[in-house]
Amino acid sequence: HELTGELKGGYSRYFAVPDASRPEMTGKLGLRLDILRDTIADFETRMSLDTQRPGSPELGTSVVGRPQIYAYGATAGITQNFHPVSLSLRGTVDRTTYADAKLSSGSTLSQADRDLTQYGARLRASYEMTPGLKPFVEAGVDTRVFDRTVDSAGYRRASDGLTGRVGSSFELTRLLT
């Protein structure tokens, strides 16, 4: 079994331009459970705090400060090895919310129409050709569901996606893969 964690954070303070100051943080917690000799379950939770950049097209020019963006999510998956073939299935859910923006006029710009939840799943098959060389093929699906069906500009922003990947992992040395 394995438990891993990572937490990074910082705050950039600009004394001459206080509205440019910003927090930033990311965190991840992962758990791998070795269920059987050839069966592994993986779990991960993640979160981040960031801010929108000045001049962002979604904000406009009259925004004061840097509105915050909160994101958090989780992944669960299982991998089964059939030596030399390996199959993995992963499911994800991620949530992103945007804080309201303060305008130079003193009013508030709601960004609630940008809040969304994304769901996804992916399946990967790999084949160990030699120790250290493992080509794979992967297919994934995802959907983005916005809290508001139609945004403030009148657009339906929800989407569904398909992804495909072909590649390989390879081991250069026992320490570098």
Side-chain angles (χ1 to χ4, degrees):
H1 306 306
E2 179 182 62
L3 178 65
T4 59
E6 181 180 315
L7 184 62
K8 297 178 188 176
Y11 185 81
S12 299
R13 173 80 171 134
Y14 299 96
F15 295 101
V17 187
D19 285 341
S21 299
R22 64 186 287 268
E24 183 178 18
M25 183 169 58
T26 60
K28 216 175 3 179
L29 183 64
L31 175 65
R32 186 193 77 221
L33 297 175
D34 300 321
I35 298 172
L36 299 170
R37 180 173 167 241
D38 293 326
T39 307
I40 298 169
D42 291 299
F43 304 93
E44 180 183 88
T45 60
R46 58 194 162 273
M47 56 76 63
S48 72
L49 166 65
D50 202 356
T51 59
Q52 293 180 62
R53 307 299 190 254
S56 172
E58 291 88 4
L59 294 176
T61 58
S62 62
V63 172
V64 176
R66 296 175 73 146
Q68 295 181 345
I69 305 168
Y70 307 95
Y72 48 93
T75 299
I78 191 155
T79 301
Q80 180 64 49
N81 291 312
F82 298 102
H83 300 294
V85 174
S86 178
L87 295 175
S88 297
L89 179 63
R90 302 266 183 275
T92 62
V93 62
D94 289 287
R95 174 85 179 144
T96 305
T97 59
Y98 294 81
D100 292 343
K102 294 178 185 149
L103 301 176
S104 57
S105 65
S107 60
T108 302
L109 171 67
S110 172
Q111 297 196 86
D113 61 348
R114 297 180 66 198
D115 297 347
L116 69 108
T117 304
Q118 182 170 337
Y119 306 93
R122 66 178 200 255
L123 178 64
R124 177 185 278 206
S126 60
Y127 182 82
E128 188 172 22
M129 296 180 75
T130 64
L133 180 60
K134 201 171 191 179
F136 67 85
V137 62
E138 180 179 286
V141 297
D142 70 80
T143 186
R144 290 181 180 200
V145 180
F146 284 79
D147 292 0
R148 295 188 181 165
T149 307
V150 178
D151 70 8
S152 59
Y155 294 106
R156 294 178 184 269
R157 296 177 68 178
S159 66
D160 297 313
L162 297 171
T163 58
R165 292 187 178 128
V166 176
S168 181
S169 63
F170 53 93
E171 187 177 281
L172 295 174
T173 69
R174 295 302 278 161
L175 298 174
L176 184 60
T177 301

